[in-house]
């Protein structure tokens, strides 16, 4: 998890790299921002996701396994959030 600051009404671009994922797919979510387009399941590679924030303040961004299959692992790197 990582903390990010957002302001409601502004558009942001989240970029991240799924370096490896085994037995599952990667997913992410915010604790307070609920983007209009729900996050999906992400395989290995670099991904970008644009959204309009609906929360002002410090939010928690969490990367997680989608299903949590036994023995599943993932590595995320190069996380960036830009306005």
């Amino acid at each position: 998890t990582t903390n990010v600051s957002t302001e409601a009404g502004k558009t942001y671009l989240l970029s991240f790299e799924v370096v490896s994922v085994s037995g599952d797919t990667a997913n992410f979510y915010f604790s307070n921002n609920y983007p209009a387009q729900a996050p999906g399941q992400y395989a290995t590679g670099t991904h970008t996701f644009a959204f309009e924030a609906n929360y002002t303040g410090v939010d928690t961004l969490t990367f997680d396994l989608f299903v949590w299959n036994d023995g599943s692992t993932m590595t995320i790197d190069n996380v960036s959030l830009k306005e």
Side-chain angles (χ1 to χ4, degrees):
T1 63
T2 188
N3 290 328
V4 296
S5 294
T6 60
E7 185 177 331
K10 292 192 175 182
T11 300
Y12 294 88
L13 184 65
L14 171 66
S15 297
F16 60 94
E17 180 183 2
V18 179
V19 176
S20 65
V21 63
S22 174
D24 205 336
T25 53
N27 190 25
F28 72 88
Y29 59 89
F30 292 93
S31 294
N32 296 298
N33 273 294
Y34 297 97
Q37 179 186 353
Q41 300 176 46
Y42 299 93
T44 303
T46 300
H47 305 277
T48 57
F49 178 77
F51 68 97
E52 183 178 324
N54 59 11
Y55 175 79
T56 296
V58 177
D59 201 355
T60 302
L61 170 62
T62 301
F63 288 90
D64 210 346
L65 293 167
F66 190 76
V67 179
W68 276 98
N69 293 319
D70 286 343
S72 297
T73 61
M74 72 172 180
T75 303
I76 305 290
D77 200 4
N78 301 316
V79 177
S80 169
L81 182 68
K82 296 181 181 177
E83 184 182 338

